[in-house]
Amino acid sequence: MLTVYGMMICPDCVKCREELDGAGVLYEFRDFAESTKHLKEFLALRDTNPIFEGPRREGKIGIPCLVTSKGRVTLSWDAFLEN
């Protein structure tokens, strides 16, 4: 199953959820504004995955962050809308 890390106060995360829901994509949303456990999981990804180098350089958080069941990490949800 797809896992999405983010916060519901983030407009990009809200849009991501709306589009995934509209496409019928199954996912688990982990709002790290509400869970320290989810925040720690996200920070472990953000601190170790090179996909976050750009967002970190730009002073951004890097959300929404999507993680596939096979462990692939991406910051774009467009590919999941095509399935």
Side-chain angles (χ1 to χ4, degrees):
M1 176 180 285
L2 183 65
T3 301
V4 179
Y5 288 94
M7 298 184 295
M8 287 308 296
I9 60 172
C10 166
D12 291 335
C13 294
V14 171
K15 182 177 179 183
C16 173
R17 288 189 67 181
E18 288 172 352
E19 292 185 8
L20 291 175
D21 289 344
V25 176
L26 296 177
Y27 64 93
E28 177 185 356
F29 187 76
R30 295 187 180 173
D31 188 332
F32 57 77
E34 297 181 1
S35 169
T36 303
K37 177 185 176 214
H38 294 161
L39 175 60
K40 288 178 180 180
E41 291 171 6
F42 171 74
L43 290 175
L45 285 172
R46 189 175 188 270
D47 290 347
T48 59
N49 194 301
I51 200 166
F52 291 99
E53 288 176 11
R56 279 196 306 264
R57 243 189 337 267
E58 297 170 9
K60 296 181 179 179
I61 298 171
I63 56 174
C65 167
L66 295 82
V67 182
T68 68
S69 59
K70 294 183 180 182
R72 185 173 69 94
V73 179
T74 182
L75 302 178
S76 174
W77 63 91
D78 291 340
F80 298 98
L81 302 178
E82 297 170 1
N83 296 329

